[in-house]
């Protein structure tokens, strides 16, 4: 019998090797060749077990049969035969049901539940998948509470006594199975839009993967970087930074760890470069969000930096700083001490508290800008148009928010000029036919930037004794360029017959109204000594203000989107005709 049993174990082991190792080398024409061979061997083992059933101990045989049903279930799922896969996995759990909490069954039962979870999510039945995975989670917790000893690994049911594995290894494998449960649950919660819960499970999964050293560095790093974006949305900058720092540190291991075959192809290298650039993009979002959130805290009702608020926040920060760092660090930390040190070093390169003045903002800006350069290295215009442009838009947004912290108007203008240069250079080469949405975004941002620069030049001019011709020229040229880009944006909304829509779509309503409002203001800002020209500008200005007022009367739902602009437009529609009358009277005093 012993010899016969050794042969059975050998067959089982060969089937496992075929499934996990050999199948990776299967040709594309026969992707499941090794899986099918493994299946045939598992069926043979099953037959041999049935023959042995007469004299064997019922409990032992049931567990061994459950192992085979499990392996067959996974095998059929892998070859996309889900119904057969489900049948085998269900049979496995039925055989184990009475003993599911005993050390020889618990790990197998949890893994069967995990695989049923995967199987149902492949069918897009997420709620059913959730049930299986949550039941696996509950079983793990119950077992750890009531017993807690390292349970047998399923493969040990087909091993000779002397081959059995150590308790340490058992524990590691059991914890890995449970980490899988949490990992799949995180995805299930994501699907069901239970975002908080998904983030919490993702965080626990990442932590456990580091603890038990069971992870692929690239995949781990990407998951951590993705999790950072969740923390950003919650304004938890310390947690977001921690995830990104850990992501960068773990990613750097990917280059050092030789892969199993170690004949890395050009494609693998390309993939690594892309992942690195994707993590860099998450860092850009971090810097941008931190700066923008600080601006929201500091700005007054006209969007300028409020110095009283600034002093108040600085005092408050001083007080909080000491308590906060200590309390929150404990909750998030990833990994073992050697990893922790590298992560801390990485974190120290960029702040996680709101910048409250230009110097602090500039430091965050420079980190963001470095990641822009890193991301652009991979996402070049050729081949990655959309990604490349999004990165340039983020770069422009970094300059925009830095300008908010700059007190000197001339230097602020220079920052906006940098934005114009980078945005115009990509806009020029863009075909609006293929990239309508991006084209509109760029037109609008260019117009806004020229508009902002014009306002700054007027503020600089107002400090002078009188406006010189150079400043007047500059103001007019900026205003005309802003008008040009707003008009281009509005033209993009016209139908093929060049007719402007009667009613605007929800997504373009606010930008279109703001563009009309700004054009009205811009015509009012043009400086000319020719009164006739001035009248024409006022007339154009009035037409744009009137458009806004009339549109909101016709479509009252639009009012919500443009309350401030509408109020000012109504005011101007009341004032402008009188001003124009006065100017006309000056022009033709004898009428």
């Amino acid at each position: 019998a012993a010899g016969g049993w050794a042969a059975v174990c050998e067959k089982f082991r060969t089937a496992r090797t075929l499934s996990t190792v050999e199948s990776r080398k299967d040709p594309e024409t026969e992707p499941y060749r090794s899986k099918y061979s493994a299946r045939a061997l598992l069926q043979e083992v099953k037959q041999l077990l049935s023959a042995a059933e007469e004299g064997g101990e019922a409990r032992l045989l049931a567990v061994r049969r459950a192992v085979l049903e499990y392996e067959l279930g996974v095998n059929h799922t892998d070859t996309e035969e889900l119904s057969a896969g489900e049948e085998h996995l269900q049979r496995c759990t039925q055989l184990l049901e009475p003993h599911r909490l005993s050390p020889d069954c618990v790990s197998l039962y949890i893994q069967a539940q995990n695989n049923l979870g995967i199987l149902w999510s492949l069918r897009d039945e997420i709620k059913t998948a959730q049930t299986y995975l949550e039941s696996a989670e509950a079983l793990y917790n119950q077992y750890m509470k009531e017993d807690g000893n390292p349970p047998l690994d399923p493969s040990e049911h087909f091993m000779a006594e002397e081959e059995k594995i150590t308790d340490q290894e058992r524990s590691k494998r059991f914890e890995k199975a449970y980490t899988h449960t949490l990992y799949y649950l995180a995805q299930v919660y994501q699907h069901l839009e239970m975002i908080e819960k998904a983030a919490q499970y993702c965080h626990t999964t990442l932590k456990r993967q580091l603890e038990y050293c069971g992870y692929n560095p690239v995949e781990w790093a990407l998951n951590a970087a993705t999790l950072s974006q969740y923390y950003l949305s919650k304004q938890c900058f310390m947690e977001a930074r921690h995830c990104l720092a850990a992501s960068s540190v773990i990613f750097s291991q990917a280059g050092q760890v030789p892969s199993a075959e170690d004949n890395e192809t050009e494609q693998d290298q390309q993939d690594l470069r892309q992942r690195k650039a994707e993590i860099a993009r998450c860092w850009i979002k971090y810097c941008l969000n931190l700066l923008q959130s600080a601006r929201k805290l500091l700005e007054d009702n006209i969007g300028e930096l409020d110095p009283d608020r600034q002093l108040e926040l600085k005092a408050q920060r001083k007080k909080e700083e000491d308590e906060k760092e200590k309390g929150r660090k404990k909750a998030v930390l990833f990994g073992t001490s050697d990893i922790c040190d590298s992560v801390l070093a990485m974190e120290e390169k960029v702040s996680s508290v709101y910048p409250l003045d230009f110097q602090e903002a500039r430091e965050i800006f420079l980190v963001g800008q470095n990641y822009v350069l890193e991301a652009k290295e991979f996402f070049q215009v050729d081949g990655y148009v959309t990604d490349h442009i999004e990165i340039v838009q983020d770069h422009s947004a970094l300059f925009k928010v830095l300008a908010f912290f700059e007190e000197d108007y001339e230097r602020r203008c220079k920052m906006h000029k940098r934005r114009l240069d980078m945005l115009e250079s990509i806009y020029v080469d863009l075909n609006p036919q293929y990239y309508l949405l991006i084209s509109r975004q760029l037109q609008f941002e260019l117009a806004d930037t020229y508009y902002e620069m014009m306002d700054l030049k007027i503020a600089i001019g107002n400090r002078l004794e009188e406006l010189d011709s150079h400043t007047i020229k500059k103001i007019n040229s900026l205003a005309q360029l802003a008008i040009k880009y707003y008009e281009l944006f509005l033209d993009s909304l016209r139908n093929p017959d060049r007719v402007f829509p009667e009613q605007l779509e929800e997504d373009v309503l606010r930008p279109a109204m703001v563009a009309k409002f700004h054009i009205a203001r811009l015509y009012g800002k043009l400086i000319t000594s020719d009164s006739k020209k001035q009248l024409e500008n006022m007339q154009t200005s009035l037409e744009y203000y009137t458009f806004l007022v009339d549109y909101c009367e016709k479509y009252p739902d639009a009012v919500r989107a443009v309350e401030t602009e509408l109020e000012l437009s109504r005011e101007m529609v009341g004032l402008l005709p009188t001003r124009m009358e006065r100017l006309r009277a000056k022009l033709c005093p004898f009428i």
Side-chain angles (χ1 to χ4, degrees):
W5 176 241
V8 169
C9 291
E10 190 47 47
K11 254 193 187 27
F12 179 81
R13 192 174 303 129
T14 311
R16 287 284 304 263
T17 310
L18 276 167
S19 251
T20 52
V21 183
E22 295 302 320
S23 65
R24 289 188 196 159
K25 307 172 196 162
D26 283 349
E28 276 179 28
T29 46
E30 294 179 89
Y32 298 137
R33 187 168 67 190
S34 302
K35 299 271 183 196
Y36 293 144
S37 312
R39 185 184 299 176
L41 283 176
L42 289 167
Q43 297 288 12
E44 283 177 36
V45 174
K46 206 171 155 180
Q47 240 113 44
L48 291 169
L49 267 193
S50 301
E53 252 171 25
E54 282 76 66
E57 186 200 324
R59 158 84 193 268
L60 185 66
L61 284 167
V63 177
R64 284 176 181 166
R65 277 181 52 205
V67 174
L68 291 170
E69 293 295 350
Y70 170 78
E71 291 292 343
L72 285 163
V74 173
N75 181 295
H76 282 83
T77 309
D78 286 345
T79 58
E80 297 173 49
E81 297 161 78
L82 298 186
S83 299
E86 185 193 350
E87 260 174 58
H88 286 292
L89 289 167
Q90 290 289 17
R91 243 178 262 147
C92 165
T93 54
Q94 280 155 10
L95 285 162
L96 296 176
E97 192 65 42
H99 326 292
R100 65 182 189 281
L101 270 168
S102 61
D104 58 342
C105 299
V106 68
S107 184
L108 179 59
Y109 194 88
I110 284 175
Q111 289 179 55
Q113 299 267 55
N114 282 352
N115 278 279
L116 281 163
I118 296 170
L119 188 139
W120 283 99
S121 40
L122 288 171
R123 290 173 170 163
D124 268 338
E125 298 276 347
I126 306 297
K127 284 272 191 211
T128 314
Q130 180 188 3
T131 314
Y132 281 109
L133 293 166
E134 284 177 349
S135 122
E137 178 187 28
L139 186 65
Y140 168 87
N141 289 324
Q142 192 183 349
Y143 177 80
M144 291 308 272
K145 208 167 95 190
E146 292 174 13
D147 185 320
N149 290 308
L152 251 68
D153 186 68
S155 60
E156 295 187 78
H157 292 291
F158 287 89
M159 276 182 191
E161 208 43 58
E162 64 277 8
E163 294 174 307
K164 298 262 162 106
I165 57 183
T166 63
D167 268 358
Q168 195 184 357
E169 181 59 25
R170 280 175 181 167
S171 174
K172 197 171 161 183
R173 291 188 191 184
F174 184 50
E175 294 299 348
K176 189 174 177 181
Y178 178 57
T179 303
H180 280 152
T181 309
L182 301 176
Y183 177 70
Y184 299 126
L185 270 173
Q187 293 175 341
V188 160
Y189 294 138
Q190 184 79 30
H191 262 288
L192 297 172
E193 291 182 12
M194 299 161 72
I195 304 300
E196 308 252 336
K197 213 163 181 186
Q200 188 192 328
Y201 275 73
C202 178
H203 202 124
T204 311
T205 301
L206 290 170
K207 238 174 144 154
R208 291 176 59 88
Q209 285 175 331
L210 285 185
E211 253 167 74
Y212 298 105
C213 299
Y215 62 94
N216 162 329
V218 179
E219 208 177 291
W220 193 97
L222 271 179
N223 285 329
T226 309
L227 180 61
S228 78
Q229 304 300 290
Y230 162 78
Y231 285 124
L232 273 190
S233 72
K234 292 278 171 228
Q235 306 262 305
C236 299
F237 291 102
M238 186 196 282
E239 289 83 343
R241 178 183 68 173
H242 185 69
C243 289
L244 283 169
S247 167
S248 293
V249 167
I250 297 294
F251 185 85
S252 65
Q253 298 177 354
Q256 304 156 10
V257 182
S259 61
E261 293 81 34
D262 209 25
N263 50 357
E264 284 205 353
T265 60
E266 179 52 38
Q267 186 53 46
D268 294 336
Q269 281 303 315
Q270 185 71 346
D271 284 349
L272 271 183
R273 283 196 293 271
Q274 178 167 349
R275 301 292 172 239
K276 187 167 189 257
E278 282 165 1
I279 294 169
R281 290 185 72 178
C282 291
W283 273 111
I284 299 169
K285 293 291 185 208
Y286 169 83
C287 296
L288 191 51
N289 271 288
L290 184 55
L291 287 163
Q292 287 170 337
S293 301
R295 177 177 64 196
K296 277 200 189 83
L297 285 179
L298 287 163
E299 64 188 353
D300 57 20
N301 56 0
I302 54 163
E304 287 292 321
L305 194 145
D306 179 340
D308 296 337
R309 186 92 183 96
Q310 187 180 33
L311 287 170
E312 188 188 317
L313 285 165
K314 281 192 167 182
Q316 188 185 325
R317 181 168 74 188
K318 191 84 209 87
K319 221 174 72 192
E320 283 173 8
E321 229 159 31
D322 318 318
E323 307 142 27
K324 205 156 126 194
E325 283 278 335
K326 289 200 286 278
R328 285 178 54 200
K329 265 292 189 270
K330 289 199 289 288
V332 253
L333 278 178
F334 278 133
T336 50
S337 55
D338 51 334
I339 289 174
C340 276
D341 293 342
S342 320
V343 172
L344 280 171
M346 188 80 201
E347 285 180 309
E348 276 161 17
K349 292 180 184 172
V350 60
S351 168
S352 68
V353 293
Y354 294 122
L356 299 177
D357 57 34
F358 181 76
Q359 208 32 56
E360 293 175 359
R362 184 170 174 272
E363 282 172 19
I364 295 165
F365 165 86
L366 288 173
V367 173
Q369 183 166 256
N370 274 335
Y371 283 113
V372 166
L373 300 175
E374 191 178 305
K376 270 173 38 180
E377 229 170 273
F378 179 83
F379 290 112
Q380 300 186 1
V381 170
D382 295 340
Y384 296 99
V385 182
T386 321
D387 293 293
H388 181 84
I389 291 174
E390 278 173 15
I391 294 164
V392 174
Q393 285 174 304
D394 280 344
H395 195 185
S396 163
L398 281 167
F399 268 109
K400 181 181 180 173
V401 71
L402 182 64
F404 165 82
F405 289 91
E406 175 54 78
E407 289 163 24
D408 183 303
Y409 285 178
E410 287 290 0
R411 285 177 55 189
R412 214 190 268 193
C413 272
K414 287 199 174 78
M415 292 178 194
H416 289 308
K417 178 78 176 79
R418 287 287 303 273
R419 295 174 61 206
L420 293 171
D421 293 342
M422 62 177 81
L423 294 168
E424 280 189 320
S425 72
I426 50 176
Y427 176 70
V428 173
D429 298 325
L430 200 63
N431 182 339
Q433 219 180 328
Y434 299 117
Y435 297 105
L436 180 62
L437 204 67
I438 296 176
S439 180
R440 278 181 187 163
Q441 286 173 359
L442 291 173
Q443 287 159 344
F444 198 87
E445 193 177 343
L446 281 161
D448 259 2
T449 311
Y450 277 118
Y451 183 80
E452 216 161 321
M453 275 182 81
M454 178 211 64
D455 268 346
L456 284 168
K457 285 292 179 198
I458 290 175
I460 293 167
N462 287 342
R463 295 174 179 175
L464 302 170
E465 290 294 309
E466 60 174 311
L467 280 180
D468 55 69
S469 64
H470 172 73
T471 309
I472 291 175
K473 244 193 179 139
K474 194 72 198 151
I475 290 171
N476 284 345
S477 120
L478 289 167
Q480 271 147 353
L481 284 160
I483 291 170
K484 169 188 141 178
Y485 280 110
Y486 281 130
E487 291 289 15
L488 280 167
F489 170 75
L490 291 167
D491 284 344
S492 78
L493 304 175
R494 296 174 185 275
N495 70 11
D497 300 327
R498 314 288 300 133
V499 178
F500 197 75
E502 184 68 24
Q503 187 171 5
L504 290 156
E505 297 285 327
E506 188 64 38
D507 58 334
V508 292
L509 173 65
R510 176 156 173 82
M513 291 306 217
V514 169
K516 292 271 190 189
F517 175 74
H518 281 181
I519 293 172
R521 261 202 79 203
L522 286 157
Y523 273 105
K525 296 282 183 190
L526 289 168
I527 302 168
T528 172
S529 52
D530 174 349
S531 302
K532 203 155 164 272
K533 191 79 194 117
Q534 202 180 341
L535 255 179
E536 277 172 32
N537 290 343
M538 287 167 100
Q539 182 54 43
T540 312
S541 195
L542 179 60
E543 283 162 17
Y544 277 92
Y545 283 128
T546 308
F547 174 89
L548 226 86
V549 175
D550 291 350
Y551 187 93
C552 289
E553 269 174 22
K554 192 169 178 188
Y555 303 107
D557 278 355
V559 176
R560 264 195 349 275
V562 283
E563 280 176 34
T564 321
E565 291 81 2
L566 178 60
E567 197 181 317
L568 291 164
S569 299
R570 282 187 180 136
E571 210 173 292
M572 292 309 284
V573 170
L575 291 173
L576 272 176
T578 326
R579 284 187 195 165
M580 287 160 73
E581 275 314 310
R582 261 189 248 135
L583 189 56
R584 274 200 200 93
K586 258 196 217 163
L587 270 177
C588 320
F590 308 116
I591 294 177

